[in-house]
Each structure stands twice: as C-alpha cells, then as structure tokens.
Amino acid sequence: MLRLPQSNREELLDLNRGTLDDVRQSLADIRRINAWLGGTRVICNGVFEVLEKRGLKSAIILDVGTGSADIPQRLVKLGETRGLALKVLALDVNERHLQIAREYVGGSSEIELVRGNAFSLPMENNSVDVVVASLFLHHFRAPEILQILHEWERVARVGWIANDLVRHPLALAFFRATGPMFARNYLTRHDGAASIRRAYTVEEMHEIVRRDFPDARVRGHFPYRLSIACEKP
C-alpha cells in the first residue's frame, strides 16, 4: 500500500508570511480549490441534508477558519434557491483573512465576520445550529482536534461537519501536477504540499474522533478528501 509519512511542517499562511496581496492571491487559490475539488460541495450537501431532515426553514451557521468566506457565500446563495434563510458567522483568528473576506462579502446582511479562536469560540452554548469548517483540522494534532470538536459540540444545536484533505502520495502528486491551475501563488504551492503532509487518512481521523464522538461519521470523498459529521439528538 502506498503511504506518505505525516509531517508537521508549518504553513506560511499560519506564520503570517507574505504581503497582503500575496495572502489575497493565496486565498483566491483556496476558493478555487474548494469549488473545483469538492470541499464546498461536501460542506453544503451536509448542511442542507441535516437542516432539511430537521425541517428547519432558517438557521445560523458558524464557519470556523473561514479564510475569504467562500463557504459562507455559497451556503447563503444555495439557501436562497432552496427557500432557506441562512445567517452565517464567518470566524477566523487571522485579521488579514477577515480583511480580505470583507472585500468579498461587502455589506452582506447574511454573513457576519467574526474574529475568534477555535479553541475558545466567542459564542454561548447552543447558540448556532450547525458548525462547519473546510481545510481546517489538518492544522492540528489529535488532542487539539478533540478540543476543537468539543467546542463545536458546545455551541451547536443541531450538529457539525468538516471536510479536509486525505494524506496520500497520489494526492501530493496530483497537487504538484495541477499546481499551475490551482496553486498560482507561491504561498499556496508551499502550503498545499505542507497541508497534504500534515493531513490524516480516513482511518486515522476515525481513530481520533471515535472515543469522544462515537456517533460521528468519517467518510472518504473523491478526490482525496474526507468529511467528519456529527448530528446531535
């Protein structure tokens, strides 16, 4: 079986490297990657599935590690086509990311940008319906992931869903081969490869979450993506 050893090589965006324009270009790359390689689809499908199952016509969504707020924008747009009124709290710890997100969302009344830490969310218990995150959990190791998931469990009334990369040598090879299409900025080229090496396999992620969240579902998605979803009773 092909294997790729896990690495803790830090990502440049996490280290606040690059100019504001570099970050803007890299977040534009991430928007493109989410849209074309399934991340946005996984999150949106999971959110609307659970909302429709509960019969909710309106909901508050929290997007953790929002970046340029591409997931919130897509959720709001799709919600309108489905007759669902969504309010999305787009949270990020990085002020530069939020500055760029403001350029995308403008004065949208459906999206509120929030600066906050994922380990101590600035929300009350059961104050949002669903928590989502895209390409976020691979930044952390197992004890930190569990701490983050417990915060999601605390603030969510209905449940939470995340998507992330799967660590695999073919995923790394695919990223390098498609770099000119998806990773146009040097930050993305560095961080994309580092992210894949930092990421988890489906089996590893299942082992991390199963003790504290036995009802959580960990699934693989094409191409080299995984999702974690947990619905509260």
Side-chain angles (χ1 to χ4, degrees), residues 85-99:
L86 300 185
K87 168 80 172 183
V88 187
L89 306 177
L91 181 141
D92 207 294
V93 73
N94 192 310
E95 180 57 40
R96 292 203 297 180
H97 294 180
L98 293 175
Q99 181 178 342

Side-chain angles (χ1 to χ4, degrees), residues 15-143:
L15 297 173
N16 284 317
R17 299 287 176 81
T19 66
L20 182 62
D21 195 52
D22 289 331
V23 176
R24 184 180 289 108
Q25 292 173 25
S26 185
L27 292 181
D29 286 342
I30 294 172
R31 294 174 75 94
R32 193 177 305 110
I33 289 168
N34 272 335
W36 287 93
L37 298 183
T40 303
R41 182 180 67 252
V42 169
I43 292 292
C44 291
N45 286 350
V47 167
F48 292 121
E49 179 181 346
V50 72
L51 293 183
E52 290 170 2
K53 179 179 177 182
R54 297 291 181 101
L56 297 177
K57 295 300 182 182
S58 64
I60 301 173
I61 312 297
L62 170 64
D63 179 35
V64 179
T66 196
S68 66
D70 55 320
I71 301 292
Q73 286 184 293
R74 187 61 177 163
L75 282 168
V76 168
K77 184 175 181 179
L78 289 177
E80 290 173 351
T81 67
R82 294 168 178 251
L84 299 174
L86 300 185
K87 168 80 172 183
V88 187
L89 306 177
L91 181 141
D92 207 294
V93 73
N94 192 310
E95 180 57 40
R96 292 203 297 180
H97 294 180
L98 293 175
Q99 181 178 342
I100 293 163
R102 289 187 192 98
E103 298 171 5
Y104 281 101
V105 304
S108 171
S109 60
E110 294 88 1
I111 300 173
E112 178 182 346
L113 301 179
V114 180
R115 189 173 187 185
N117 191 307
F119 294 98
S120 182
L121 294 171
M123 287 91 189
E124 300 293 332
N125 295 351
N126 301 310
S127 57
V128 304
D129 292 292
V130 182
V131 179
V132 302
S134 180
L135 301 181
F136 183 71
L137 291 178
H138 72 266
H139 292 269
F140 307 99
R141 299 306 90 186

Side-chain angles (χ1 to χ4, degrees), residues 4-15 17 26 30 33 135-141 164-169 171-176 183 185-201 204:
L4 181 67
Q6 192 171 44
S7 166
N8 286 329
R9 185 181 184 187
E10 292 200 75
E11 300 179 33
L12 298 181
L13 281 179
D14 293 342
L15 297 173
R17 299 287 176 81
S26 185
I30 294 172
I33 289 168
L135 301 181
F136 183 71
L137 291 178
H138 72 266
H139 292 269
F140 307 99
R141 299 306 90 186
D164 217 309
L165 304 167
V166 168
R167 189 180 79 256
H168 194 281
L172 185 59
F174 175 81
F175 176 77
R176 288 171 171 165
N185 181 267
Y186 77 94
L187 294 173
T188 319
R189 289 192 291 273
H190 175 278
D191 288 0
S195 294
I196 293 169
R197 290 185 178 277
R198 290 179 66 93
Y200 298 86
T201 66
E204 289 168 346

